[in-house]
Amino acid sequence: MAVSKPLPRLLSWFSRPTLSTQLTIIGLIITLFFVIVAVFGSAFQAWGWLQDPRESLSNPISQAPSAEHWFGTSRQGYDVFSRTLFGAQAALQVVLLATTLSLLAGVPLGLISGYLGGKLDKVLLFVMDSIYAFPKLLLAMTLAFVVGRGILNAAIAVSISFIPQYYRVVRNQTTSVKTELFIEAAKALGASPARVLSRYLFLNVLQSIPVLFTLNTANAIFILGGLGFLGLGLPEEVPEWGHDLKLALDALPTGIWWTALYPGLAMTLMVTGLSLLGEGLSEYFNPRARNNE
């Protein structure tokens, strides 16, 4: 029965009439909207609700928003509404893959480094601090030059900059928790280092991972947009907000504002939703924040 306790506690926290929980709910709604669009975008297109975002119109002249094209069309003849919605699909694919890769690398390294200490800890600290010192977009640009375009390549380029965050948070918590009496008792009873790490330490540092994951996903969207704007992200035919903003830049002086407004607004809205959700999770998982309410 103990397994079911977190869910009622989470629902109870969401039901509190505080500003933080209301903002978290707003962030959750925004995030779910983009997830639904990303997951069912292809189905919406098959049902005729969305035009093909890669198909140029027979008359590739930019058209203002209208009943036929809600967000207008671009100078390349693309339907901006379809490109904007399908941009969520590309964004979620890349950033979820990127943050998952960084999580899978940073969490084990943080656990091992914090638990074992010694020279390994010093070497890993030096490497992670060196990576963290680089601006995230600059590091992603450098890696994108090396690995090239594509969803997996873009995810790899974005993921490297987030590994130090998982590493430092998990390492610091592991260093603090490993001196607790229950860890000493487990080792005294013959628990192997692998069991101590996976069974005891990992469960005690787990609460910080959802917060980092959500906030890093929000940051990764901006990095992916920056790569797309510079022509280093996904292939040109893939609908992606950063690339569409790059195409819209030349059209702005001629008064074609809609090709830049809607992709930029979608990117900002998605990042805002994820940031609100991440801040809410941070407050929920932080005992001090809950006790101060």
Side-chain angles (χ1 to χ4, degrees):
M1 297 298 292
V3 178
S4 63
K5 290 181 179 179
L7 181 57
R9 187 170 68 246
L10 181 62
L11 294 176
S12 175
W13 183 82
F14 269 113
S15 65
R16 296 178 183 178
T18 62
L19 178 61
S20 60
T21 54
Q22 291 172 357
L23 291 176
T24 304
I25 293 174
I26 293 174
L28 179 61
I29 293 173
I30 295 173
T31 302
L32 287 177
F33 168 77
F34 282 105
V35 170
I36 291 172
V37 168
V39 172
F40 296 102
S42 299
F44 294 157
Q45 179 187 340
W47 296 337
W49 296 356
L50 292 175
Q51 298 185 24
D52 189 344
R54 305 186 185 191
E55 181 180 345
S56 178
L57 303 179
S58 58
N59 185 19
I61 298 177
S62 183
Q63 303 176 26
S66 62
E68 184 178 2
H69 302 284
W70 292 356
F71 290 179
T73 62
S74 67
R75 298 174 71 179
Q76 293 76 27
Y78 296 122
D79 181 70
V80 178
F81 181 71
S82 296
R83 298 279 298 187
T84 301
L85 293 187
F86 272 90
Q89 191 175 77
L92 281 179
Q93 286 179 340
V94 173
V95 301
L96 288 179
L97 183 57
T99 47
T100 300
L101 290 175
S102 57
L103 182 152
L104 293 177
V107 171
L109 289 176
L111 283 169
I112 295 172
S113 179
Y115 182 69
L116 298 180
K119 292 183 178 179
L120 176 63
D121 182 46
K122 293 180 180 179
V123 171
L124 287 174
L125 270 176
F126 175 78
V127 173
M128 294 299 169
D129 287 345
S130 300
I131 296 175
Y132 192 75
F134 278 91
K136 291 182 176 61
L137 181 57
L138 180 60
L139 180 60
M141 286 171 51
T142 305
L143 293 171
F145 272 118
V146 177
V147 299
R149 291 183 172 187
I151 290 179
L152 179 59
N153 292 343
I156 293 173
V158 173
S159 67
I160 301 300
S161 61
F162 294 116
I163 294 177
Q165 297 185 30
Y166 290 102
Y167 168 82
R168 291 302 296 263
V169 170
V170 172
R171 174 195 172 274
N172 292 341
Q173 291 186 351
T174 302
T175 303
S176 175
V177 174
K178 74 175 183 180
T179 59
E180 297 289 340
L181 290 178
F182 70 92
I183 298 294
E184 297 297 332
K187 291 191 291 186
L189 291 174
S192 65
R195 181 169 178 79
V196 172
L197 285 171
S198 60
R199 180 75 173 89
Y200 301 102
L201 287 174
F202 176 70
L203 293 178
N204 280 275
V205 304
L206 183 63
Q207 63 180 12
S208 62
I209 294 177
V211 179
L212 269 178
F213 188 88
T214 306
L215 295 177
N216 284 342
T217 302
N219 292 330
I221 291 175
F222 272 138
I223 297 177
L224 176 64
L227 291 178
F229 188 82
L230 297 171
L232 300 173
L234 304 180
E236 293 186 0
E237 66 273 8
V238 178
E240 194 272 315
W241 294 326
H243 178 65
D244 286 353
L245 287 175
K246 176 188 176 183
L247 296 178
L249 187 63
D250 294 334
L252 282 177
T254 61
I256 304 175
W257 50 268
W258 51 89
T259 55
L261 174 64
Y262 296 111
L265 187 61
M267 184 188 302
T268 303
L269 190 61
M270 188 173 184
V271 170
T272 301
L274 286 168
S275 298
L276 291 175
L277 182 59
E279 292 296 334
L281 290 175
S282 178
E283 181 178 333
Y284 173 76
F285 283 112
N286 187 344
R288 292 181 179 179
R290 293 201 304 271
N291 292 335
N292 289 335
E293 289 184 356

